[in-house]
């Protein structure tokens, strides 16, 4: 991993465990972006056909990376925008189930409309509670983040797959922004109907890009009115024949931003998606064991079998400043301090964080 670590200049400044806030740029991507803009500088409109192909190739790359048909992939500027477009085409009579304190862009998007909403907590028995409420309240739509942004609580993906089998008419909408890029994932077999994510965190693609993936069932569930010339691929004759996923792309897309997404997905594939997944699982398990032994995690997290790469440890302003003063890049979220480990983090990073914390505990 040392060769990989050298790609990230921010790692020379200290321990970077703040990917949950922003995934750092890296040398290879920066070189590509500079070359791309230089081509535009020199060739201007002659770049048009090349740009359109780059966008199309990005869509295919996203579909291949997450195992989704390219026809069911939408390229969006960010998850929040994509979700709002989606909900603009959802029947107001639908009954929705959300998680309390989920990422605001998830819950607010539903709460700002006239859906009938139920809630449950992200507790140790979450999956059991979801099954109970869905059956009792005749829920039509379950919407949640696969990984909770504050503390890294992760829903059991196997549960979602089985839940869909038990309730085939249930529409499952998932925010994968804090998940995509950390584990292997097969959308087609996941049971999820809509998966959206922004690319600037764990996918390391910078701002201004993201995607949404759709099941065939989802396409028959939502009725979208959004439209634009780009959605019709610049073809007047296609105005009334725009496929569902393209309705999320009414206007021109930035080939720099989406080219960056394509580049990063290919970069991660060159490292090895399985390798990244195994590394994430290993460091997650080690961090959970270590922080649990130190009494720094909530009971809810300690009792869960699986967990993500994000941890919220107990710590006040003094502890946070201690970490920052020792060049640990992290963030304050909720009542604690959020740490997130990616493939460029090593066990030595965790050990150094523990050493610093022990000086104050």
């Amino acid at each position: 991993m040392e060769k990989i670590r050298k790609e990230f200049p921010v790692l020379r400044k200290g321990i970077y465990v703040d990917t949950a806030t922003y995934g750092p740029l890296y040398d290879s991507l920066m070189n590509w972006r500079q070359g791309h803009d230089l081509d535009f500088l020199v060739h201007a409109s002659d770049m048009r056909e090349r740009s359109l192909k780059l966008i199309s190739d990005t869509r295919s790359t996203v579909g291949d990376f997450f195992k989704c048909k390219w026809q069911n992939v939408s390229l969006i500027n960010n998850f929040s925008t994509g979700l709002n477009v989606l909900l603009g085409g959802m029947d107001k009579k639908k009954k929705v189930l959300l998680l309390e304190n989920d990422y605001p862009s998830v819950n607010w998007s539903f709460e700002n409309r006239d859906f009938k909403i139920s809630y449950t907590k992200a507790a140790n028995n979450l999956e059991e509670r979801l099954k109970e409420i869905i059956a009792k309240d005749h829920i039509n739509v379950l919407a949640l983040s696969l990984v909770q942004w504050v503390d890294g609580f992760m829903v059991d993906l196997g549960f979602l797959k089985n839940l869909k089998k038990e309730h085939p008419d249930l529409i499952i909408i998932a925010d994968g922004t804090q998940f995509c890029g950390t584990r292997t994932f097969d959308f087609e077999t996941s049971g999820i109907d809509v998966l959206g994510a922004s690319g600037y965190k764990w996918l390391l693609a910078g701002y201004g890009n993201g995607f949404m993936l759709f099941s065939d069932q989802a396409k028959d569930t939502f009725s979208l009115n959004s439209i634009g010339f780009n959605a019709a691929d610049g073809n007047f004759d296609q105005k009334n024949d725009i496929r569902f996923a393209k309705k999320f792309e009414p206007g021109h897309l930035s080939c720099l931003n989406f080219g960056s997404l394509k580049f990063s997905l290919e970069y991660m594939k060159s490292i090895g998606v399985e390798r990244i997944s195994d590394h994430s699982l290993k460091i997650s398990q080690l961090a959970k064991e270590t922080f649990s032994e130190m009494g720094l995690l909530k009971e809810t997290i300690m009792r869960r079998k699986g967990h993500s790469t994000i941890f919220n440890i107990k710590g006040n302003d003094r502890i946070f400043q201690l970490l920052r003063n020792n060049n640990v890049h992290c963030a304050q979220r909720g009542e604690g301090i959020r740490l997130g480990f990616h493939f460029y983090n090593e066990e030595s990073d965790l050990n150094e964080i523990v050493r610093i914390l022990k000086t104050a505990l």
Side-chain angles (χ1 to χ4, degrees):
M1 284 287 183
E2 189 57 36
K3 181 179 179 181
I4 295 171
R5 286 173 61 87
K6 289 180 179 179
E7 283 264 12
F8 295 85
V10 72
L11 301 185
R12 300 166 202 158
K13 297 171 57 179
I15 298 174
Y16 194 83
V17 283
D18 202 19
T19 307
T21 298
Y22 185 79
L25 296 182
Y26 51 100
D27 290 338
S28 296
L29 176 59
M30 185 57 64
N31 291 338
W32 178 86
R33 288 164 68 102
Q34 290 174 337
H36 171 277
D37 278 356
L38 181 60
D39 285 341
F40 254 101
L41 178 69
V42 174
H43 301 293
S45 63
D46 288 343
M47 286 282 290
R48 173 176 166 75
E49 293 303 318
R50 177 177 161 188
S51 299
L52 292 175
K53 184 179 186 306
L54 180 58
I55 294 295
S56 178
D57 289 347
T58 299
R59 187 178 292 107
S60 297
T61 299
V62 170
D64 178 70
F65 194 91
F66 295 104
K67 306 297 186 295
C68 176
K69 293 181 289 189
W70 69 265
Q71 296 92 335
N72 290 355
V73 176
S74 288
L75 300 180
I76 55 177
N77 292 326
N78 53 67
F79 168 79
S80 303
T81 299
L83 181 60
N84 275 276
V85 172
L86 181 74
L87 297 188
M90 192 167 107
D91 187 345
K92 296 295 191 298
K93 297 178 182 178
K94 298 291 186 183
K95 295 181 179 179
V96 180
L97 178 57
L98 304 174
L99 298 188
E100 294 179 6
N101 302 315
D102 204 337
Y103 191 63
S105 288
V106 176
N107 285 5
W108 288 359
S109 298
F110 287 91
E111 293 165 349
N112 203 43
R113 293 170 171 86
D114 297 325
F115 303 119
K116 184 176 181 180
I117 301 175
S118 301
Y119 297 87
T120 190
K121 294 181 179 180
N124 183 52
N125 63 341
L126 171 65
E127 289 77 13
E128 180 182 328
R129 287 288 297 144
L130 290 176
K131 284 186 65 172
E132 178 183 318
I133 296 172
I134 287 168
K136 178 174 65 71
D137 294 351
H138 304 290
I139 296 297
N140 306 117
V141 177
L142 169 63
L144 76 176
S145 297
L146 296 182
V147 172
Q148 293 297 299
W149 67 298
V150 172
D151 60 8
F153 183 106
M154 186 169 73
V155 66
D156 185 336
L157 298 182
F159 164 79
L160 292 181
K161 185 175 182 178
N162 292 329
L163 181 67
K164 183 66 177 183
K165 291 179 180 177
E166 295 175 12
H167 299 274
D169 293 331
L170 176 71
I171 295 298
I172 301 177
I173 301 174
D175 176 6
T177 301
Q178 296 288 13
F179 169 80
C180 293
T182 64
R183 307 278 178 91
T184 55
F185 181 75
D186 187 326
F187 177 75
E188 293 290 348
T189 64
S190 69
I192 296 171
D193 293 287
V194 181
L195 175 70
S198 296
Y200 70 96
K201 295 182 186 286
W202 304 90
L203 294 175
L204 311 176
Y207 283 123
N209 61 71
F211 58 84
M212 297 192 84
L213 314 178
F214 304 101
S215 68
D216 290 330
Q217 182 180 350
K219 296 189 295 183
D220 297 328
T221 302
F222 302 90
S223 179
L224 303 179
N225 293 319
S226 56
I227 194 170
F229 203 31
N230 182 70
D233 294 322
N235 187 334
F236 287 97
D237 296 331
Q238 289 187 17
K239 177 184 176 183
N240 299 314
D241 191 28
I242 299 171
R243 72 175 186 271
F244 181 82
K246 284 288 286 183
K247 292 183 178 181
F248 290 79
E249 305 173 12
H252 293 298
L253 300 174
S254 166
C255 50
L256 173 67
N257 293 347
F258 289 100
S260 295
L261 176 60
K262 176 178 181 291
F263 188 95
S264 280
L265 292 178
E266 291 173 342
Y267 175 70
M268 295 176 78
K269 284 186 70 173
S270 72
I271 295 172
V273 181
E274 289 282 354
R275 182 184 178 192
I276 291 172
S277 184
D278 291 344
H279 181 79
S280 296
L281 182 60
K282 180 180 178 181
I283 198 166
S284 173
Q285 291 174 334
L286 182 59
K288 184 180 178 183
E289 292 172 4
T290 302
F291 292 142
S292 294
E293 291 172 359
M294 297 175 70
L296 296 177
L297 298 180
K298 294 188 299 185
E299 185 70 21
T300 299
I301 299 299
M302 289 192 290
R303 292 174 61 187
R304 294 281 291 180
K305 182 178 180 180
H307 192 69
S308 69
T309 54
I310 300 172
F311 295 86
N312 192 306
I313 62 172
K314 297 175 183 177
N316 53 23
D317 290 345
R318 181 179 64 86
I319 302 297
F320 176 68
Q321 287 304 322
L322 175 66
L323 289 169
R324 292 292 296 175
N325 291 341
N326 281 272
N327 299 317
V328 177
H329 299 264
C330 52
Q332 289 181 297
R333 291 292 184 272
E335 299 178 352
I337 301 167
R338 189 179 66 184
L339 311 172
F341 299 89
H342 208 1
F343 62 80
Y344 39 69
N345 293 117
E346 299 178 335
E347 186 176 335
S348 59
D349 293 334
L350 174 61
N351 293 338
E352 178 61 12
I353 291 171
V354 170
R355 186 197 67 77
I356 294 169
L357 290 172
K358 285 183 175 179
T359 67
L361 299 177

